[in-house]
Short mmCIF file of all heavy atoms in Angstrom, two decimals:
data_model
loop_
_atom_site.label_atom_id
_atom_site.label_comp_id
_atom_site.label_asym_id
_atom_site.label_seq_id
_atom_site.Cartn_x
_atom_site.Cartn_y
_atom_site.Cartn_z
N ASP Z 1488 3.38 -5.60 11.15
CA ASP Z 1488 4.48 -4.82 11.68
C ASP Z 1488 5.68 -5.61 12.14
O ASP Z 1488 6.35 -5.25 13.17
CB ASP Z 1488 3.93 -3.91 12.89
CG ASP Z 1488 2.96 -2.85 12.34
OD1 ASP Z 1488 3.07 -2.36 11.25
OD2 ASP Z 1488 2.11 -2.52 13.14
N GLU Z 1489 5.89 -6.68 11.48
CA GLU Z 1489 6.97 -7.58 11.88
C GLU Z 1489 7.75 -8.00 10.61
O GLU Z 1489 7.15 -8.22 9.59
CB GLU Z 1489 6.47 -8.97 12.47
CG GLU Z 1489 5.82 -8.71 13.93
CD GLU Z 1489 5.45 -10.01 14.48
OE1 GLU Z 1489 5.60 -11.22 13.93
OE2 GLU Z 1489 4.80 -10.06 15.60
N LEU Z 1490 9.17 -8.05 10.82
CA LEU Z 1490 9.99 -8.42 9.63
C LEU Z 1490 10.77 -9.73 9.99
O LEU Z 1490 11.01 -9.95 11.18
CB LEU Z 1490 10.92 -7.31 9.36
CG LEU Z 1490 10.33 -5.93 8.85
CD1 LEU Z 1490 11.51 -5.06 8.73
CD2 LEU Z 1490 9.52 -6.06 7.63
N ASP Z 1491 11.11 -10.44 8.98
CA ASP Z 1491 11.99 -11.58 9.22
C ASP Z 1491 13.37 -11.06 9.55
O ASP Z 1491 13.86 -10.19 8.91
CB ASP Z 1491 12.00 -12.48 8.03
CG ASP Z 1491 13.02 -13.65 8.13
OD1 ASP Z 1491 12.68 -14.50 8.97
OD2 ASP Z 1491 14.05 -13.54 7.47
N PRO Z 1492 14.02 -11.56 10.67
CA PRO Z 1492 15.29 -11.03 11.07
C PRO Z 1492 16.45 -11.43 10.13
O PRO Z 1492 17.48 -10.92 10.36
CB PRO Z 1492 15.49 -11.64 12.56
CG PRO Z 1492 14.65 -12.80 12.58
CD PRO Z 1492 13.49 -12.60 11.65
N PHE Z 1493 16.18 -12.31 9.27
CA PHE Z 1493 17.22 -12.73 8.27
C PHE Z 1493 17.29 -11.91 6.93
O PHE Z 1493 18.30 -11.57 6.61
CB PHE Z 1493 17.09 -14.31 7.98
CG PHE Z 1493 17.24 -15.16 9.24
CD1 PHE Z 1493 16.13 -15.40 10.06
CD2 PHE Z 1493 18.51 -15.42 9.61
CE1 PHE Z 1493 16.28 -16.26 11.15
CE2 PHE Z 1493 18.63 -16.24 10.79
CZ PHE Z 1493 17.54 -16.70 11.50
N ASP Z 1494 16.08 -11.79 6.42
CA ASP Z 1494 16.15 -11.03 5.11
C ASP Z 1494 15.31 -9.80 5.07
O ASP Z 1494 15.25 -9.02 4.03
CB ASP Z 1494 15.69 -11.88 3.92
CG ASP Z 1494 14.28 -12.43 4.19
OD1 ASP Z 1494 13.47 -11.78 4.86
OD2 ASP Z 1494 13.96 -13.38 3.48
N GLY Z 1495 14.67 -9.40 6.17
CA GLY Z 1495 13.88 -8.21 6.21
C GLY Z 1495 12.55 -8.29 5.46
O GLY Z 1495 11.81 -7.33 5.31
N GLY Z 1496 12.16 -9.48 5.06
CA GLY Z 1496 10.80 -9.66 4.51
C GLY Z 1496 9.75 -9.58 5.45
O GLY Z 1496 9.91 -9.84 6.63
N PRO Z 1497 8.49 -9.17 4.98
CA PRO Z 1497 7.30 -9.05 5.91
C PRO Z 1497 6.73 -10.31 6.42
O PRO Z 1497 6.65 -11.30 5.64
CB PRO Z 1497 6.48 -8.13 5.16
CG PRO Z 1497 6.62 -8.64 3.67
CD PRO Z 1497 8.06 -8.89 3.66
N PHE Z 1498 6.08 -10.32 7.65
CA PHE Z 1498 5.23 -11.37 8.02
C PHE Z 1498 3.73 -10.87 7.75
O PHE Z 1498 3.48 -9.71 8.23
CB PHE Z 1498 5.48 -11.77 9.46
CG PHE Z 1498 6.74 -12.42 9.76
CD1 PHE Z 1498 7.77 -11.85 10.44
CD2 PHE Z 1498 6.91 -13.79 9.32
CE1 PHE Z 1498 8.92 -12.67 10.71
CE2 PHE Z 1498 8.02 -14.48 9.59
CZ PHE Z 1498 9.03 -13.94 10.24
N VAL Z 1499 3.04 -11.66 7.23
CA VAL Z 1499 1.54 -11.32 7.08
C VAL Z 1499 0.77 -12.42 7.82
O VAL Z 1499 1.11 -13.57 7.98
CB VAL Z 1499 1.06 -11.33 5.65
CG1 VAL Z 1499 1.78 -10.10 4.86
CG2 VAL Z 1499 1.37 -12.65 4.92
N ALA Z 1500 -0.34 -11.93 8.49
CA ALA Z 1500 -1.21 -12.89 9.37
C ALA Z 1500 -2.58 -12.43 9.45
O ALA Z 1500 -2.97 -11.26 9.01
CB ALA Z 1500 -0.48 -13.00 10.69
N ALA Z 1501 -3.37 -13.42 10.07
CA ALA Z 1501 -4.84 -13.04 10.35
C ALA Z 1501 -5.38 -14.00 11.23
O ALA Z 1501 -4.82 -15.28 11.35
CB ALA Z 1501 -5.60 -13.04 8.98
N GLU Z 1502 -6.43 -13.73 11.93
CA GLU Z 1502 -7.15 -14.79 12.60
C GLU Z 1502 -7.82 -15.71 11.63
O GLU Z 1502 -8.32 -15.42 10.58
CB GLU Z 1502 -8.26 -14.17 13.59
CG GLU Z 1502 -7.65 -13.36 14.75
CD GLU Z 1502 -8.74 -12.88 15.62
OE1 GLU Z 1502 -9.85 -13.38 15.50
OE2 GLU Z 1502 -8.51 -12.05 16.56
N ILE Z 1503 -7.69 -17.12 11.88
CA ILE Z 1503 -8.24 -18.16 10.88
C ILE Z 1503 -9.67 -17.85 10.77
O ILE Z 1503 -10.24 -17.99 9.57
CB ILE Z 1503 -7.84 -19.37 11.39
CG1 ILE Z 1503 -6.43 -19.66 11.19
CG2 ILE Z 1503 -8.73 -20.47 10.66
CD1 ILE Z 1503 -5.84 -21.02 11.56
N ALA Z 1504 -10.42 -17.48 11.78
CA ALA Z 1504 -11.86 -17.30 11.69
C ALA Z 1504 -12.12 -16.18 10.83
O ALA Z 1504 -13.35 -16.16 10.29
CB ALA Z 1504 -12.43 -17.13 13.06
N ARG Z 1505 -11.32 -15.26 10.44
CA ARG Z 1505 -11.64 -14.21 9.51
C ARG Z 1505 -10.95 -14.37 8.08
O ARG Z 1505 -11.03 -13.50 7.30
CB ARG Z 1505 -11.00 -12.92 10.12
CG ARG Z 1505 -11.75 -12.64 11.46
CD ARG Z 1505 -11.29 -11.36 12.08
NE ARG Z 1505 -11.68 -10.16 11.14
CZ ARG Z 1505 -11.29 -8.82 11.49
NH1 ARG Z 1505 -10.48 -8.68 12.46
NH2 ARG Z 1505 -11.73 -7.96 10.68
N VAL Z 1506 -10.34 -15.48 7.85
CA VAL Z 1506 -9.77 -15.79 6.59
C VAL Z 1506 -10.82 -16.03 5.61
O VAL Z 1506 -11.67 -16.97 5.85
CB VAL Z 1506 -8.73 -16.91 6.66
CG1 VAL Z 1506 -8.27 -17.34 5.24
CG2 VAL Z 1506 -7.50 -16.51 7.54
N VAL Z 1507 -10.83 -15.34 4.49
CA VAL Z 1507 -11.93 -15.44 3.54
C VAL Z 1507 -12.26 -16.82 3.07
O VAL Z 1507 -13.48 -17.26 3.17
CB VAL Z 1507 -11.69 -14.52 2.39
CG1 VAL Z 1507 -12.77 -14.73 1.32
CG2 VAL Z 1507 -11.65 -13.11 2.74
N PRO Z 1508 -11.33 -17.53 2.58
CA PRO Z 1508 -11.59 -18.99 2.08
C PRO Z 1508 -12.15 -19.84 3.14
O PRO Z 1508 -12.90 -20.84 2.83
CB PRO Z 1508 -10.32 -19.51 1.48
CG PRO Z 1508 -9.26 -18.59 1.88
CD PRO Z 1508 -9.85 -17.26 2.22
N VAL Z 1509 -11.64 -19.64 4.45
CA VAL Z 1509 -12.10 -20.46 5.47
C VAL Z 1509 -13.68 -20.20 5.80
O VAL Z 1509 -14.50 -21.11 5.99
CB VAL Z 1509 -11.13 -20.31 6.78
CG1 VAL Z 1509 -11.84 -21.03 7.97
CG2 VAL Z 1509 -9.82 -20.76 6.48
N GLN Z 1510 -13.87 -18.85 5.81
CA GLN Z 1510 -15.26 -18.33 6.14
C GLN Z 1510 -16.26 -18.83 5.07
O GLN Z 1510 -17.42 -19.32 5.42
CB GLN Z 1510 -15.38 -16.80 6.02
CG GLN Z 1510 -14.62 -16.28 7.33
CD GLN Z 1510 -14.76 -14.70 7.28
OE1 GLN Z 1510 -14.79 -14.02 6.19
NE2 GLN Z 1510 -14.99 -14.03 8.34
N LYS Z 1511 -15.80 -18.93 3.76
CA LYS Z 1511 -16.66 -19.23 2.68
C LYS Z 1511 -16.80 -20.63 2.29
O LYS Z 1511 -17.60 -21.09 1.38
CB LYS Z 1511 -16.37 -18.24 1.50
CG LYS Z 1511 -16.59 -16.87 1.80
CD LYS Z 1511 -16.36 -15.93 0.60
CE LYS Z 1511 -16.86 -14.59 0.79
NZ LYS Z 1511 -16.77 -13.80 -0.58
N THR Z 1512 -15.91 -21.49 2.85
CA THR Z 1512 -16.13 -22.88 2.53
C THR Z 1512 -17.32 -23.57 2.98
O THR Z 1512 -17.77 -23.29 4.04
CB THR Z 1512 -14.78 -23.73 3.21
OG1 THR Z 1512 -13.66 -23.34 2.60
CG2 THR Z 1512 -15.06 -25.23 2.94
N VAL Z 1513 -17.94 -24.23 2.04
CA VAL Z 1513 -19.22 -24.81 2.27
C VAL Z 1513 -19.05 -26.38 2.14
O VAL Z 1513 -18.56 -26.81 1.24
CB VAL Z 1513 -20.38 -24.33 1.30
CG1 VAL Z 1513 -21.74 -25.15 1.59
CG2 VAL Z 1513 -20.65 -22.84 1.61
N HIS Z 1514 -19.69 -27.09 3.12
CA HIS Z 1514 -19.59 -28.51 2.95
C HIS Z 1514 -20.97 -29.02 2.62
O HIS Z 1514 -21.96 -28.61 3.27
CB HIS Z 1514 -19.15 -29.16 4.33
CG HIS Z 1514 -17.75 -28.87 4.81
ND1 HIS Z 1514 -16.71 -29.52 4.40
CD2 HIS Z 1514 -17.35 -27.71 5.48
CE1 HIS Z 1514 -15.64 -29.04 4.99
NE2 HIS Z 1514 -15.98 -27.91 5.64
N GLY Z 1515 -21.03 -29.77 1.53
CA GLY Z 1515 -22.32 -30.26 1.04
C GLY Z 1515 -22.11 -31.66 0.30
O GLY Z 1515 -21.31 -32.43 0.75
N HIS Z 1516 -22.96 -31.69 -0.71
CA HIS Z 1516 -22.99 -33.11 -1.37
C HIS Z 1516 -23.02 -32.72 -2.94
O HIS Z 1516 -23.46 -31.71 -3.37
CB HIS Z 1516 -24.12 -33.91 -0.97
CG HIS Z 1516 -25.56 -33.27 -1.32
ND1 HIS Z 1516 -26.14 -32.49 -0.43
CD2 HIS Z 1516 -26.27 -33.41 -2.40
CE1 HIS Z 1516 -27.34 -32.05 -1.02
NE2 HIS Z 1516 -27.38 -32.57 -2.20
N VAL Z 1517 -22.58 -33.63 -3.73
CA VAL Z 1517 -22.51 -33.55 -5.15
C VAL Z 1517 -23.98 -33.48 -5.72
O VAL Z 1517 -24.72 -34.47 -5.46
CB VAL Z 1517 -21.71 -34.60 -5.80
CG1 VAL Z 1517 -21.67 -34.54 -7.34
CG2 VAL Z 1517 -20.27 -34.62 -5.24
N ALA Z 1518 -24.36 -32.47 -6.46
CA ALA Z 1518 -25.76 -32.48 -7.04
C ALA Z 1518 -25.66 -33.34 -8.32
O ALA Z 1518 -24.62 -33.72 -8.88
CB ALA Z 1518 -25.94 -31.09 -7.32
N ASP Z 1519 -26.94 -33.51 -8.84
CA ASP Z 1519 -27.15 -34.40 -10.07
C ASP Z 1519 -27.02 -33.62 -11.23
O ASP Z 1519 -27.47 -34.23 -12.29
CB ASP Z 1519 -28.39 -35.10 -9.78
CG ASP Z 1519 -29.61 -34.17 -9.83
OD1 ASP Z 1519 -29.51 -33.05 -9.85
OD2 ASP Z 1519 -30.77 -34.79 -9.76
N ASP Z 1520 -26.64 -32.44 -11.31
CA ASP Z 1520 -26.48 -31.71 -12.60
C ASP Z 1520 -25.21 -30.84 -12.56
O ASP Z 1520 -24.55 -30.64 -11.54
CB ASP Z 1520 -27.76 -30.80 -12.96
CG ASP Z 1520 -27.98 -29.86 -11.76
OD1 ASP Z 1520 -27.33 -29.90 -10.78
OD2 ASP Z 1520 -28.94 -28.96 -11.96
N SER Z 1521 -24.88 -30.40 -13.71
CA SER Z 1521 -23.62 -29.63 -13.94
C SER Z 1521 -23.92 -28.11 -13.57
O SER Z 1521 -25.08 -27.68 -13.70
CB SER Z 1521 -23.06 -29.71 -15.29
OG SER Z 1521 -22.66 -31.07 -15.53
#
């Protein structure tokens, strides 16, 4: 519900903790097969 005061374009946002790629990023190690 916010617009840029210069061109009227929309602002989009979210809590980082709820951002899909942040939630789904997995830290691991390279496996020995494809």
Side-chain angles (χ1 to χ4, degrees):
D1488 297 326
E1489 293 179 6
L1490 301 177
D1491 177 70
F1493 296 91
D1494 63 17
F1498 287 111
V1499 295
E1502 291 185 13
I1503 287 180
R1505 300 183 66 185
V1506 171
V1507 175
V1509 174
Q1510 288 179 327
K1511 293 189 174 182
T1512 292
V1513 173
H1514 296 272
H1516 62 270
V1517 179
D1519 61 0
D1520 57 353
S1521 294

